[in-house]
Amino acid sequence: MSRFWSQVVRDLTPYIPGEQPKIANLIKLNTNENPFPPSPKVLAAIQAELGNDAARLRLYPDPNADLLKNAIANQHGVSAKQVFVGNGSDEVLAHAFQALLKHEQAILFPDITYSFYPVYCGLYGVNYRTIPLANDFSINPADYCGQPNGGIIFPNPNAPTGCLLALNAIEQILKANPDSVVIVDEAYVDFGGNSAISLVDRYDNLLVTHTLSKSRSLAGLRVGFAVGHSDLIEALERVKNSFNSYPLDKLAIVGATAAMEDKAYFEQTCRAVIETREQLSADLRSLGFEVLPSAANFIFTRHPQHDAAQLAKSLREKSIIVRHFKLPRIDQFLRITVGTDAECKALTEVLREILG
Ligand SMILES: Cc1ncc(COP(=O)(O)O)c(C=O)c1O
């Protein structure tokens, strides 16, 4: 705290990202990164962009990242005017809070969800009300219908639970809230869900956000995007152009474009993650863990006889890190990223030892 801090900064409770430890030989299953490298076409595109001439970095990148917007539009069957791109979906979400969710009424999101949402509310002065998930950790769409609100946001699949909401339930929420923007954060949808992007032409109040950090293995490049009605996209562009004209650098634009275009690699790696997730879930269940059904690249699990914080600590002593949230309702759960087959096998073996 310093006397130079603004009131906004004094009142902030910043988001705490998962650890990126600088320890060798760690099995890192704590931040939902993809265990596979990105498509080889990503590196080729970045190298081609640089060529042998670093002077190419002398010029600013395309502020509109048209190359990438067109690739996203092609992959998702929408027009480029319906696409917004940003420096990670966190930045896209941040702009959406300011551009589309900051109204007089409180916005709604689940009590257990991506913990960045309340942080954006704090940063931008957005009021919010949390809606408890059902006992099985599912979202009940009826809870989001019939109550006045300034907007609605939830991840699908939800994080950190991995639970999926069906598209018809999302439609129910959209229909019941024609005067609010409904943001569906699909950071993990490629690992088992159907995207609500198929609904954007029918609902002008729907914004869908995606990231290239998970299913495209590009967490290090920082690229995310949103798809929605062109009026919603224009609102995001207005905020972006009042904040940073060039959120994506030249290398990120060409690398992300190559990743979007390599559909075969994307589908193959997603399938592999899903297969490993199902094997890991079965292995953990055989050790007595309860595992929530996951449509994401992580699983959410608890052991009825073992304290979650203690399990996380014991795993860490064996160089395996997973995520534990000290939060109401979920403090007995661990969120475990789906790693390679070998990493998941090692995790199961170490857990077997710990459980005795
Ligand atoms: C639900 C959800 N949304 C958005 C993000 C942000 O992803 P990124 O900023 O890497 O695109 C994350 C990251 O873990 C997430 O879990």
Side-chain angles (χ1 to χ4, degrees):
M1 181 80 83
S2 143
R3 71 184 190 286
F4 300 115
W5 288 13
S6 68
Q7 193 55 50
V8 175
V9 170
R10 282 166 199 262
D11 294 342
L12 287 179
T13 311
Y15 176 75
I16 302 168
E19 236 188 311
Q20 297 292 345
K22 295 169 184 67
I23 306 169
N25 300 325
L26 196 71
I27 297 186
K28 187 174 179 304
L29 305 175
N30 68 328
T31 48
N32 299 342
E33 288 134 332
N34 198 307
F36 296 105
S39 156
K41 294 182 179 163
V42 171
L43 187 58
I46 290 174
Q47 280 167 338
E49 178 67 13
L50 273 178
N52 288 324
D53 183 7
R56 291 193 193 180
L57 294 178
R58 189 175 57 81
L59 301 181
Y60 283 107
D62 172 8
N64 295 318
D66 284 332
L67 186 76
L68 176 58
K69 282 184 185 171
N70 285 325
I72 293 167
N74 280 341
Q75 290 302 322
H76 287 286
V78 296
S79 86
K81 274 193 161 36
Q82 292 172 287
V83 178
F84 177 80
V85 294
N87 193 271
S89 61
D90 279 340
E91 185 181 77
V92 175
L93 289 166
H95 290 341
F97 271 76
Q98 201 173 24
L100 301 168
L101 298 183
K102 186 172 162 57
H103 301 291
E104 238 149 66
Q105 301 258 28
I107 67 164
L108 310 179
F109 51 79
D111 62 339
I112 298 165
T113 196
Y114 186 33
S115 41
F116 227 135
Y117 300 160
V119 175
Y120 293 133
C121 288
L123 179 61
Y124 294 122
V126 177
N127 295 319
Y128 67 92
R129 206 160 56 245
T130 57
I131 308 285
L133 294 179
N135 286 339
D136 65 355
F137 294 103
S138 62
I139 289 176
N140 178 5
D143 293 344
Y144 294 81
C145 303
Q147 30 176 331
N149 62 75
I152 295 171
I153 182 165
F154 53 86
N156 195 40
N158 196 7
T161 62
C163 299
L164 186 71
L165 189 62
L167 279 191
N168 60 2
I170 292 176
E171 278 202 85
Q172 188 186 338
I173 296 172
L174 287 162
K175 282 185 187 148
N177 294 278
D179 296 322
S180 298
V181 171
V182 177
I183 301 180
V184 183
D185 173 351
E186 293 190 338
Y188 302 102
V189 78
D190 298 325
F191 300 105
N194 288 322
S195 174
I197 290 178
S198 60
L199 303 176
V200 292
D201 284 335
R202 281 194 282 138
Y203 297 94
D204 66 357
N205 58 333
L206 169 63
L207 187 80
V208 181
T209 62
H210 274 218
T211 177
L212 277 76
S213 301
K214 315 293 179 181
S215 56
R216 310 268 172 180
S217 309
L218 285 175
L221 208 61
R222 308 304 301 128
V223 183
F225 62 90
V227 179
H229 190 281
S230 56
D231 288 349
L232 302 186
I233 299 304
E234 189 185 345
L236 298 176
E237 295 288 357
R238 287 172 71 95
V239 170
K240 171 247 174 193
N241 288 321
S242 308
F243 177 75
N244 177 4
S245 307
Y246 310 103
L248 293 189
D249 63 54
K250 281 170 176 256
L251 307 184
I253 291 171
V254 296
T257 302
M260 288 306 299
E261 287 174 344
D262 196 347
K263 199 167 171 217
Y265 184 86
F266 161 74
E267 286 175 350
Q268 178 202 326
T269 48
C270 285
R271 248 193 328 267
V273 169
I274 291 167
E275 276 169 26
T276 307
R277 176 187 74 209
E278 295 310 307
Q279 185 61 52
L280 175 63
S281 302
D283 290 347
L284 291 180
R285 286 191 183 110
S286 74
L287 292 177
F289 281 88
E290 257 173 59
V291 182
L292 297 192
S294 170
N297 69 337
F298 57 84
I299 56 167
F300 205 48
T301 183
R302 73 176 152 196
H303 197 290
Q305 278 100 42
H306 293 266
D307 177 64
Q310 186 55 47
L311 281 177
K313 188 165 169 274
S314 306
L315 284 171
R316 199 191 168 87
E317 284 160 9
K318 301 275 185 180
S319 302
I320 299 179
I321 51 173
V322 299
R323 194 90 192 255
H324 173 250
F325 299 92
K326 263 195 226 146
L327 292 172
R329 291 186 76 185
I330 57 168
D331 66 339
Q332 282 310 312
F333 280 83
L334 296 176
R335 191 197 68 190
I336 304 176
T337 303
V338 177
T340 59
D341 279 335
E343 287 172 328
C344 291
K345 243 188 204 90
L347 167 79
T348 316
E349 284 317 308
V350 169
L351 279 172
R352 197 187 306 279
E353 276 170 37
I354 294 171
L355 302 184

